[in-house]
Amino acid sequence: MKIAIAGAGKLGLKIAEALSVGNHSVTVIDKNEDVLQKLVTHMDILTVHENAKQIDILKEIKIHTYDYFLAAMEKDEKNIVVASFAKKLGCKTVIARVRDPEHMNQINFIKETMDIDYIVNPDLSITLEIYKYLVEKYTLSNGIFSSGSASLLEFNTNRFPTLVGVSMLNIANVLPGMLVVAISRNGKVIVPHGNTVIKENDGLYVMGHKDAIKVLAKKVHDKKEKYTNLQRVMIVGGGKTGLYLAKKLAAFGVDVKIIEKNKSRCYYLATHLENVMILNGDGTDISFLEEENLNDMDAVVTATGFDEENLLLALTAKQHNIEDVIAKVSRESYIDLIEKMGIDMALNPLNITAAHVLRAIQGSKHILSSQLVQGQAEIMEILAVKDTEIVGHPLKKLTLPDGVIIAAIHRGDNVTIPNGDTVIKEGDRVIILSLLSELADLEKLLSKKRTGLFSRF
């Protein structure tokens, strides 16, 4: 496929990196020559040092021959206009990143009028994951994700204490015919390996045949607990994420407080939100938070524009025994810190947005089932095709990224929970769980062969 990306920012770079090594032709358009030169030295892509808003430039690269166009520049208006230009000039599918709530309030009209196929919004995407985590008892709808004859069940080890202390090498003795494909531990989702040991208060994601999973679900889930008793939430940071989240939580009936230190932003929030308390103050002032009843909150979400502040405030909230503490964190380098800090959830808006874009570009119409897991991983079902590395070899001989696991294999009407000796055959439908941080590496791996390791369907 041919993909053009306007904007060599974080999102554009992540998508370019993920797609540049396969059978794809990637073109990146940006006005920053230094950034483009660095890209050329690291990726096999075409760069264009121009303003993507110029129609002549889009015509010069023959945008009508491209399958996808992603507009990921700084300004929403520019992304909307340039994506529309690309569509009018013949590009098959266009995607625009749009952040502003004012635009999102009329997004359907914008898409229809400007003829844009997909709109991605990092702040709204992260908001939906936080909302699902806080409002629903389970991060998967009703705790179970199903695809064909296979199902993925989510539950906490306090529902099945026998699992505490069990290693992955011995898990089959406790959960025969099932596989632990992911563990949520102290706010971080990890993909377990042979020596990984289940700990107290781990959140487990177990894959198995749907009948076996239904039996297990009856033991570990209580239907009455689908929703939490969430009543009071404090959001530190009144940016776009804070605005989106406060609006959704207030509509659900939650008492929401937003702490925002910019007075003019407080005024904006007050005029755009109903039934939300807006407080002008410094979220890093712990005494101020305590005066505003921090200890009485059911959940605290830190969503300022600074990762360091978000992590520090999340740690402080956890030390005040807040039940659910969520931090917005954009830097990959902080991932290892999150588990040690003991917060409940840390979300990276860039990873979530990149997952949405890649899903669209790599064949959203052909994915039978795909869903984010706690905003940090994605589970998807794809097709094993002929003449690829994965077909005909035992799984133990494959080199997969550490954050990727093959969870189940559909072959005809049968489902197999694989082990190291399992061999995938052509035509198998394969369920894969991948950390969002590994999606770029996964795409590279899947594209090593001439025909691609997999063809999504």
Side-chain angles (χ1 to χ4, degrees):
M1 291 188 296
K2 295 184 67 175
I3 303 105
I5 301 171
K10 292 180 180 180
L11 179 60
L13 293 183
K14 198 169 187 70
I15 299 302
E17 180 185 7
L19 299 174
S20 63
V21 296
N23 295 322
H24 308 304
S25 174
V26 180
T27 301
V28 177
I29 309 168
D30 197 276
K31 295 188 294 183
N32 190 323
E33 187 175 7
D34 293 335
V35 172
L36 294 180
Q37 287 179 347
K38 291 179 181 179
L39 288 182
V40 173
T41 60
H42 292 89
M43 304 180 197
D44 182 16
I45 62 174
L46 174 67
T47 60
V48 178
H49 177 219
E50 293 287 354
N51 186 344
K53 195 174 180 179
Q54 298 178 26
I55 296 178
D56 289 343
I57 298 302
L58 296 178
K59 289 181 178 179
E60 185 176 327
I61 67 170
K62 299 180 180 180
I63 194 65
H64 67 278
T65 66
Y66 281 73
D67 299 289
Y68 288 90
F69 177 86
L70 168 64
M73 294 167 285
E74 291 185 2
K75 295 184 178 180
D76 288 353
E77 291 79 5
K78 193 169 183 179
N79 289 334
I80 292 171
V81 170
V82 173
S84 180
F85 285 173
K87 187 70 172 184
K88 297 297 183 184
L89 291 173
C91 184
K92 294 179 182 178
T93 304
V94 299
I95 305 168
R97 182 182 61 190
V98 178
R99 293 192 178 109
D100 197 320
E102 302 294 340
H103 293 317
M104 297 309 294
N105 289 336
Q106 49 196 9
I107 201 63
N108 290 331
F109 179 80
I110 291 174
K111 287 176 65 177
E112 182 178 351
T113 303
M114 306 299 284
D115 200 12
I116 298 173
D117 298 286
Y118 296 99
I119 296 288
V120 291
N121 183 327
D123 299 288
L124 184 57
S125 295
I126 195 174
T127 292
L128 295 176
E129 293 302 314
I130 296 173
Y131 178 83
K132 183 169 64 173
Y133 180 85
L134 291 177
V135 172
E136 298 180 7
K137 178 62 179 177
Y138 308 109
T139 57
L140 299 171
S141 55
N142 81 7
I144 300 178
F145 167 85
S146 294
S147 177
S149 299
S151 291
L152 181 72
L153 174 68
E154 175 193 359
F155 62 92
N156 192 282
T157 51
N158 60 21
R159 293 289 183 176
F160 203 146
T162 305
L163 290 170
V164 176
V166 177
S167 71
M168 295 302 101
L169 293 174
N170 299 316
I171 197 68
N173 297 329
V174 185
L175 298 174
M178 291 179 249
L179 179 67
V180 177
V181 297
I183 298 175
S184 175
R185 179 176 294 164
N186 296 328
K188 180 182 177 182
V189 173
I190 61 175
V191 172
H193 297 283
N195 294 324
T196 303
V197 176
I198 297 173
K199 297 182 179 181
E200 186 177 355
N201 205 38
D202 278 352
L204 303 183
Y205 294 85
V206 178
M207 177 67 74
H209 191 281
K210 64 180 180 180
D211 293 335
I213 290 295
K214 285 181 181 179
V215 173
L216 180 59
K218 291 180 180 179
K219 296 180 181 179
V220 298
H221 279 182
D222 184 342
K223 292 182 179 180
K224 296 179 181 179
E225 293 184 338
K226 182 179 180 181
Y227 295 103
T228 63
N229 295 319
L230 188 71
Q231 297 180 31
R232 296 173 295 275
V233 175
M234 178 180 286
I235 302 173
V236 184
K240 296 181 181 67
T241 299
L243 172 63
Y244 288 131
L245 182 59
K247 187 173 184 179
K248 284 190 68 67
L249 290 174
F252 184 74
V254 176
D255 292 331
V256 182
K257 284 186 179 180
I258 293 182
I259 311 297
E260 170 56 47
K261 59 183 177 182
N262 185 293
K263 187 173 291 187
S264 61
R265 182 63 181 176
C266 286
Y267 177 78
Y268 177 88
L269 293 170
T271 57
H272 287 78
L273 290 171
E274 297 180 359
N275 302 318
V276 175
M277 182 178 293
I278 314 297
L279 299 172
N280 180 219
D282 187 353
T284 61
D285 185 346
I286 306 306
S287 60
F288 171 71
L289 298 183
E290 290 176 341
E291 290 175 2
E292 295 302 332
N293 304 315
L294 171 65
N295 294 324
D296 295 332
M297 294 295 135
D298 297 311
V300 170
V301 179
T302 60
T304 73
F306 303 96
D307 287 352
E308 295 83 0
E309 279 190 13
N310 291 338
L311 288 173
L312 178 61
L313 291 170
L315 179 59
T316 300
K318 207 60 189 174
Q319 291 174 340
H320 280 69
N321 297 316
I322 305 300
E323 182 176 353
D324 290 312
V325 178
I326 301 173
K328 176 182 176 182
V329 181
S330 299
R331 293 188 185 180
E332 294 285 356
S333 57
Y334 288 155
I335 293 298
D336 291 335
L337 287 175
I338 294 167
E339 184 178 350
K340 298 176 183 178
M341 295 176 68
I343 61 179
D344 298 286
M345 194 180 197
L347 296 176
N348 185 321
L350 175 62
N351 283 342
I352 294 174
T353 308
H356 291 327
V357 173
L358 286 173
R359 189 184 306 154
I361 291 177
Q362 292 289 58
S364 59
K365 295 180 180 179
H366 306 296
I367 297 177
L368 292 182
S369 52
S370 177
Q371 183 170 328
L372 292 184
V373 175
Q374 204 167 318
Q376 297 180 43
E378 182 179 15
I379 184 166
M380 63 189 80
E381 185 170 14
I382 54 184
L383 179 68
V385 297
K386 187 178 179 180
D387 297 328
T388 59
E389 181 181 339
I390 204 167
V391 173
H393 302 286
L395 298 188
K396 62 186 178 184
K397 292 187 177 181
L398 300 178
T399 302
L400 295 175
D402 287 340
V404 174
I405 189 170
I406 296 175
I409 300 168
H410 279 116
R411 184 171 298 156
D413 296 329
N414 299 319
V415 60
T416 299
I417 303 303
N419 56 41
D421 296 320
T422 302
V423 177
I424 296 175
K425 296 182 179 180
E426 179 187 355
D428 285 349
R429 291 177 295 153
V430 183
I431 298 177
I432 292 180
L433 184 138
S434 172
L435 299 181
L436 297 188
S437 57
E438 298 276 20
L439 284 179
D441 288 336
L442 177 61
E443 294 293 342
K444 292 177 183 177
L445 178 65
L446 303 185
S447 301
K448 278 188 176 180
K449 290 285 186 176
R450 180 174 55 85
T451 55
L453 194 58
F454 284 95
S455 175
R456 292 189 179 188
F457 68 104

PDB file of all heavy atoms in Angstrom, residues 89-108:
ATOM      1  N   LEU A  89      -8.536  15.163  -4.224  1.00  0.00           N
ATOM      2  CA  LEU A  89      -7.558  14.918  -5.290  1.00  0.00           C
ATOM      3  C   LEU A  89      -7.413  13.435  -5.625  1.00  0.00           C
ATOM      4  O   LEU A  89      -6.574  13.071  -6.455  1.00  0.00           O
ATOM      5  CB  LEU A  89      -6.196  15.501  -4.898  1.00  0.00           C
ATOM      6  CG  LEU A  89      -6.121  17.033  -4.854  1.00  0.00           C
ATOM      7  CD1 LEU A  89      -4.785  17.484  -4.286  1.00  0.00           C
ATOM      8  CD2 LEU A  89      -6.345  17.629  -6.242  1.00  0.00           C
ATOM      9  N   GLY A  90      -8.207  12.580  -4.953  1.00  0.00           N
ATOM     10  CA  GLY A  90      -8.257  11.187  -5.369  1.00  0.00           C
ATOM     11  C   GLY A  90      -7.690  10.155  -4.423  1.00  0.00           C
ATOM     12  O   GLY A  90      -7.700   8.958  -4.745  1.00  0.00           O
ATOM     13  N   CYS A  91      -7.173  10.558  -3.266  1.00  0.00           N
ATOM     14  CA  CYS A  91      -6.686   9.559  -2.301  1.00  0.00           C
ATOM     15  C   CYS A  91      -7.864   8.720  -1.816  1.00  0.00           C
ATOM     16  O   CYS A  91      -8.943   9.242  -1.525  1.00  0.00           O
ATOM     17  CB  CYS A  91      -5.996  10.238  -1.118  1.00  0.00           C
ATOM     18  SG  CYS A  91      -5.278   9.077   0.056  1.00  0.00           S
ATOM     19  N   LYS A  92      -7.659   7.413  -1.719  1.00  0.00           N
ATOM     20  CA  LYS A  92      -8.764   6.508  -1.395  1.00  0.00           C
ATOM     21  C   LYS A  92      -9.335   6.737   0.000  1.00  0.00           C
ATOM     22  O   LYS A  92     -10.543   6.813   0.190  1.00  0.00           O
ATOM     23  CB  LYS A  92      -8.304   5.057  -1.541  1.00  0.00           C
ATOM     24  CG  LYS A  92      -7.975   4.651  -2.966  1.00  0.00           C
ATOM     25  CD  LYS A  92      -7.510   3.208  -3.031  1.00  0.00           C
ATOM     26  CE  LYS A  92      -7.133   2.820  -4.461  1.00  0.00           C
ATOM     27  NZ  LYS A  92      -6.619   1.424  -4.530  1.00  0.00           N
ATOM     28  N   THR A  93      -8.467   6.816   1.005  1.00  0.00           N
ATOM     29  CA  THR A  93      -8.923   6.937   2.392  1.00  0.00           C
ATOM     30  C   THR A  93      -8.082   7.976   3.112  1.00  0.00           C
ATOM     31  O   THR A  93      -6.844   7.939   3.036  1.00  0.00           O
ATOM     32  CB  THR A  93      -8.802   5.593   3.138  1.00  0.00           C
ATOM     33  OG1 THR A  93      -9.518   4.588   2.427  1.00  0.00           O
ATOM     34  CG2 THR A  93      -9.349   5.706   4.549  1.00  0.00           C
ATOM     35  N   VAL A  94      -8.728   8.905   3.821  1.00  0.00           N
ATOM     36  CA  VAL A  94      -7.993   9.947   4.530  1.00  0.00           C
ATOM     37  C   VAL A  94      -8.361   9.934   6.012  1.00  0.00           C
ATOM     38  O   VAL A  94      -9.495   9.666   6.391  1.00  0.00           O
ATOM     39  CB  VAL A  94      -8.252  11.345   3.928  1.00  0.00           C
ATOM     40  CG1 VAL A  94      -7.802  11.382   2.475  1.00  0.00           C
ATOM     41  CG2 VAL A  94      -9.713  11.746   4.051  1.00  0.00           C
ATOM     42  N   ILE A  95      -7.357  10.236   6.821  1.00  0.00           N
ATOM     43  CA  ILE A  95      -7.502  10.244   8.278  1.00  0.00           C
ATOM     44  C   ILE A  95      -6.967  11.572   8.785  1.00  0.00           C
ATOM     45  O   ILE A  95      -5.902  12.028   8.368  1.00  0.00           O
ATOM     46  CB  ILE A  95      -6.692   9.090   8.918  1.00  0.00           C
ATOM     47  CG1 ILE A  95      -7.087   7.749   8.303  1.00  0.00           C
ATOM     48  CG2 ILE A  95      -6.886   9.061  10.438  1.00  0.00           C
ATOM     49  CD1 ILE A  95      -6.141   6.604   8.677  1.00  0.00           C
ATOM     50  N   ALA A  96      -7.692  12.198   9.708  1.00  0.00           N
ATOM     51  CA  ALA A  96      -7.245  13.472  10.273  1.00  0.00           C
ATOM     52  C   ALA A  96      -7.235  13.393  11.790  1.00  0.00           C
ATOM     53  O   ALA A  96      -8.163  12.851  12.395  1.00  0.00           O
ATOM     54  CB  ALA A  96      -8.152  14.615   9.816  1.00  0.00           C
ATOM     55  N   ARG A  97      -6.178  13.916  12.393  1.00  0.00           N
ATOM     56  CA  ARG A  97      -6.153  14.028  13.859  1.00  0.00           C
ATOM     57  C   ARG A  97      -6.797  15.355  14.241  1.00  0.00           C
ATOM     58  O   ARG A  97      -6.389  16.424  13.788  1.00  0.00           O
ATOM     59  CB  ARG A  97      -4.718  13.982  14.383  1.00  0.00           C
ATOM     60  CG  ARG A  97      -4.656  14.054  15.915  1.00  0.00           C
ATOM     61  CD  ARG A  97      -3.232  14.054  16.423  1.00  0.00           C
ATOM     62  NE  ARG A  97      -2.480  15.211  15.938  1.00  0.00           N
ATOM     63  CZ  ARG A  97      -1.172  15.347  16.070  1.00  0.00           C
ATOM     64  NH1 ARG A  97      -0.468  14.390  16.649  1.00  0.00           N
ATOM     65  NH2 ARG A  97      -0.557  16.418  15.611  1.00  0.00           N
ATOM     66  N   VAL A  98      -7.799  15.283  15.097  1.00  0.00           N
ATOM     67  CA  VAL A  98      -8.538  16.473  15.538  1.00  0.00           C
ATOM     68  C   VAL A  98      -8.678  16.401  17.057  1.00  0.00           C
ATOM     69  O   VAL A  98      -9.139  15.395  17.595  1.00  0.00           O
ATOM     70  CB  VAL A  98      -9.936  16.542  14.882  1.00  0.00           C
ATOM     71  CG1 VAL A  98     -10.697  17.756  15.378  1.00  0.00           C
ATOM     72  CG2 VAL A  98      -9.803  16.578  13.363  1.00  0.00           C
ATOM     73  N   ARG A  99      -8.301  17.470  17.748  1.00  0.00           N
ATOM     74  CA  ARG A  99      -8.312  17.480  19.208  1.00  0.00           C
ATOM     75  C   ARG A  99      -9.368  18.407  19.825  1.00  0.00           C
ATOM     76  O   ARG A  99      -9.892  18.125  20.883  1.00  0.00           O
ATOM     77  CB  ARG A  99      -6.944  17.918  19.728  1.00  0.00           C
ATOM     78  CG  ARG A  99      -5.793  16.960  19.458  1.00  0.00           C
ATOM     79  CD  ARG A  99      -4.596  17.403  20.289  1.00  0.00           C
ATOM     80  NE  ARG A  99      -3.447  16.524  20.139  1.00  0.00           N
ATOM     81  CZ  ARG A  99      -2.336  16.844  19.489  1.00  0.00           C
ATOM     82  NH1 ARG A  99      -2.258  18.028  18.893  1.00  0.00           N
ATOM     83  NH2 ARG A  99      -1.325  16.012  19.423  1.00  0.00           N
ATOM     84  N   ASP A 100      -9.620  19.522  19.177  1.00  0.00           N
ATOM     85  CA  ASP A 100     -10.434  20.583  19.789  1.00  0.00           C
ATOM     86  C   ASP A 100     -11.855  20.117  20.069  1.00  0.00           C
ATOM     87  O   ASP A 100     -12.551  19.631  19.169  1.00  0.00           O
ATOM     88  CB  ASP A 100     -10.471  21.791  18.852  1.00  0.00           C
ATOM     89  CG  ASP A 100     -10.930  23.058  19.556  1.00  0.00           C
ATOM     90  OD1 ASP A 100     -11.863  22.969  20.371  1.00  0.00           O
ATOM     91  OD2 ASP A 100     -10.359  24.126  19.288  1.00  0.00           O
ATOM     92  N   PRO A 101     -12.333  20.283  21.321  1.00  0.00           N
ATOM     93  CA  PRO A 101     -13.719  19.903  21.659  1.00  0.00           C
ATOM     94  C   PRO A 101     -14.762  20.615  20.801  1.00  0.00           C
ATOM     95  O   PRO A 101     -15.827  20.063  20.534  1.00  0.00           O
ATOM     96  CB  PRO A 101     -13.848  20.308  23.137  1.00  0.00           C
ATOM     97  CG  PRO A 101     -12.447  20.261  23.657  1.00  0.00           C
ATOM     98  CD  PRO A 101     -11.588  20.723  22.513  1.00  0.00           C
ATOM     99  N   GLU A 102     -14.460  21.839  20.391  1.00  0.00           N
ATOM    100  CA  GLU A 102     -15.408  22.578  19.554  1.00  0.00           C
ATOM    101  C   GLU A 102     -15.625  21.851  18.234  1.00  0.00           C
ATOM    102  O   GLU A 102     -16.745  21.810  17.707  1.00  0.00           O
ATOM    103  CB  GLU A 102     -14.884  23.996  19.296  1.00  0.00           C
ATOM    104  CG  GLU A 102     -14.627  24.815  20.545  1.00  0.00           C
ATOM    105  CD  GLU A 102     -15.905  25.132  21.306  1.00  0.00           C
ATOM    106  OE1 GLU A 102     -16.992  25.053  20.701  1.00  0.00           O
ATOM    107  OE2 GLU A 102     -15.821  25.457  22.503  1.00  0.00           O
ATOM    108  N   HIS A 103     -14.565  21.281  17.696  1.00  0.00           N
ATOM    109  CA  HIS A 103     -14.704  20.504  16.463  1.00  0.00           C
ATOM    110  C   HIS A 103     -15.409  19.176  16.734  1.00  0.00           C
ATOM    111  O   HIS A 103     -16.220  18.714  15.929  1.00  0.00           O
ATOM    112  CB  HIS A 103     -13.332  20.232  15.846  1.00  0.00           C
ATOM    113  CG  HIS A 103     -12.637  21.450  15.332  1.00  0.00           C
ATOM    114  ND1 HIS A 103     -13.284  22.431  14.623  1.00  0.00           N
ATOM    115  CD2 HIS A 103     -11.334  21.848  15.430  1.00  0.00           C
ATOM    116  CE1 HIS A 103     -12.423  23.377  14.297  1.00  0.00           C
ATOM    117  NE2 HIS A 103     -11.238  23.052  14.771  1.00  0.00           N
ATOM    118  N   MET A 104     -15.086  18.550  17.873  1.00  0.00           N
ATOM    119  CA  MET A 104     -15.666  17.240  18.170  1.00  0.00           C
ATOM    120  C   MET A 104     -17.179  17.327  18.373  1.00  0.00           C
ATOM    121  O   MET A 104     -17.891  16.352  18.146  1.00  0.00           O
ATOM    122  CB  MET A 104     -14.999  16.646  19.411  1.00  0.00           C
ATOM    123  CG  MET A 104     -13.501  16.372  19.251  1.00  0.00           C
ATOM    124  SD  MET A 104     -13.082  15.407  17.778  1.00  0.00           S
ATOM    125  CE  MET A 104     -13.867  13.841  18.160  1.00  0.00           C
ATOM    126  N   ASN A 105     -17.661  18.489  18.782  1.00  0.00           N
ATOM    127  CA  ASN A 105     -19.105  18.657  18.969  1.00  0.00           C
ATOM    128  C   ASN A 105     -19.870  18.608  17.650  1.00  0.00           C
ATOM    129  O   ASN A 105     -21.081  18.400  17.631  1.00  0.00           O
ATOM    130  CB  ASN A 105     -19.400  19.991  19.674  1.00  0.00           C
ATOM    131  CG  ASN A 105     -18.966  19.971  21.132  1.00  0.00           C
ATOM    132  OD1 ASN A 105     -18.870  18.907  21.746  1.00  0.00           O
ATOM    133  ND2 ASN A 105     -18.702  21.149  21.684  1.00  0.00           N
ATOM    134  N   GLN A 106     -19.158  18.801  16.563  1.00  0.00           N
ATOM    135  CA  GLN A 106     -19.804  18.788  15.241  1.00  0.00           C
ATOM    136  C   GLN A 106     -19.017  17.902  14.275  1.00  0.00           C
ATOM    137  O   GLN A 106     -18.946  18.181  13.073  1.00  0.00           O
ATOM    138  CB  GLN A 106     -19.911  20.212  14.697  1.00  0.00           C
ATOM    139  CG  GLN A 106     -18.618  20.994  14.763  1.00  0.00           C
ATOM    140  CD  GLN A 106     -18.829  22.483  14.597  1.00  0.00           C
ATOM    141  OE1 GLN A 106     -19.957  22.984  14.585  1.00  0.00           O
ATOM    142  NE2 GLN A 106     -17.739  23.214  14.431  1.00  0.00           N
ATOM    143  N   ILE A 107     -18.432  16.855  14.833  1.00  0.00           N
ATOM    144  CA  ILE A 107     -17.498  16.040  14.056  1.00  0.00           C
ATOM    145  C   ILE A 107     -18.170  15.321  12.894  1.00  0.00           C
ATOM    146  O   ILE A 107     -17.589  15.159  11.828  1.00  0.00           O
ATOM    147  CB  ILE A 107     -16.760  15.042  14.975  1.00  0.00           C
ATOM    148  CG1 ILE A 107     -15.466  14.565  14.308  1.00  0.00           C
ATOM    149  CG2 ILE A 107     -17.645  13.869  15.362  1.00  0.00           C
ATOM    150  CD1 ILE A 107     -14.465  15.649  14.068  1.00  0.00           C
ATOM    151  N   ASN A 108     -19.400  14.856  13.080  1.00  0.00           N
ATOM    152  CA  ASN A 108     -20.087  14.170  11.988  1.00  0.00           C
ATOM    153  C   ASN A 108     -20.321  15.100  10.805  1.00  0.00           C
ATOM    154  O   ASN A 108     -20.180  14.691   9.641  1.00  0.00           O
ATOM    155  CB  ASN A 108     -21.412  13.588  12.482  1.00  0.00           C
ATOM    156  CG  ASN A 108     -21.208  12.423  13.423  1.00  0.00           C
ATOM    157  OD1 ASN A 108     -20.215  11.707  13.322  1.00  0.00           O
ATOM    158  ND2 ASN A 108     -22.148  12.224  14.338  1.00  0.00           N
TER     159      ASN A 108
END
